[in-house]
Amino acid sequence: MLTQIKPLFIPNSRNNRSVITLMIVLQVVVFLVIWFVSQSTIFPTPVEIIKALGRLFEEQNLAYELWTSTWLCIKAMGIAIIISLLIAYATVIPFFKPIGFLISKGRFLTLVGLSFVFTQMTSGSSSLKTSLMVFGITVFFVTAMVSIIQSVPKYEFYHARTLRMNEWQVVWEIIVLGRLDQVFEVIRQTFAISWTMLTLVEGISRSEGGIGPLLLNQQKYLHLDAVFAIQFVILLIGILLDWGIGQMKDFFLPYSSLTVEK
């Protein structure tokens, strides 16, 4: 038994799945025990969080608010993916490289400071939140995609040209089709960013509800059990959606996992 546990403390060691599963279970049990016995005034107990979760579903319509926020995030992600890919792929043309560069630097801007500008440009709460989300996602998505495009080895272009492809065919085969698996990884990364931005954006415009205003209201009145319950739900949904994007990648691009050691 000791010989099986010892590799857990050795860098870059290999462990069988049963040992890894046992380790995770033990760590979770220890964490829950410490959480239960702790008398912290900041962190509510799991029992209090579960009770608060029930109240939120019954009294605050948590399920509807969660759906409202999830749909906003998915809609904004869809629009941002299309815009970002068009901008990123266009940077292979020298004329559009400065545009991609400038857009990527927009990730240093804060959404709070831009909310007034987007308020003047949009006609309602829904379009305002969608626009803010799309902007926040696009600047990070473009940055990641441009980096991927620039990291393509030169020999891949040379090889494609030896096959008598013109430059547009090279772009299609090497950059678009050849990097689709990496596009899914960028989607997973930027989705996590968009999911964390969600409560901020919904807090700017609360008229249509969502998980953000609900969380901010509970925090305002120091309902810490409800705050942690909402955070737990946000974490769980985020993990499930992240897993779903990974499954979509494996389904549409099964070859992408052939060289990945699991």
Side-chain angles (χ1 to χ4, degrees), residues 6-76:
K6 185 179 178 181
L8 293 174
F9 301 94
I10 299 176
N12 304 318
S13 60
R14 294 178 178 271
N15 297 274
N16 61 57
R17 187 161 299 186
S18 60
V19 174
I20 295 294
T21 302
L22 178 61
M23 177 193 67
I24 294 173
V25 171
L26 288 176
Q27 290 178 348
V28 171
V29 169
V30 170
F31 173 75
L32 290 176
V33 169
I34 295 174
W35 192 2
F36 268 105
V37 300
S38 65
Q39 300 297 322
S40 174
T41 57
I42 299 176
F43 300 101
T45 65
V47 174
E48 293 173 333
I49 291 176
I50 292 173
K51 291 180 179 179
L53 193 60
R55 292 197 305 271
L56 288 169
F57 274 106
E58 293 178 3
E59 302 173 6
Q60 302 292 331
N61 205 3
L62 178 60
Y64 175 77
E65 305 295 355
L66 186 61
W67 164 249
T68 300
S69 298
T70 304
W71 172 243
L72 170 63
C73 190
I74 293 174
K75 178 173 65 174

Side-chain angles (χ1 to χ4, degrees), residues 108-119 128 132 135-136 197 199-205:
F108 298 109
L109 298 173
T110 63
L111 294 181
V112 175
L114 293 173
S115 59
F116 175 77
V117 176
F118 280 97
T119 300
L128 170 62
L132 286 170
F135 174 82
M197 287 193 303
T199 54
L200 170 64
V201 171
E202 290 183 326
I204 294 174
S205 179

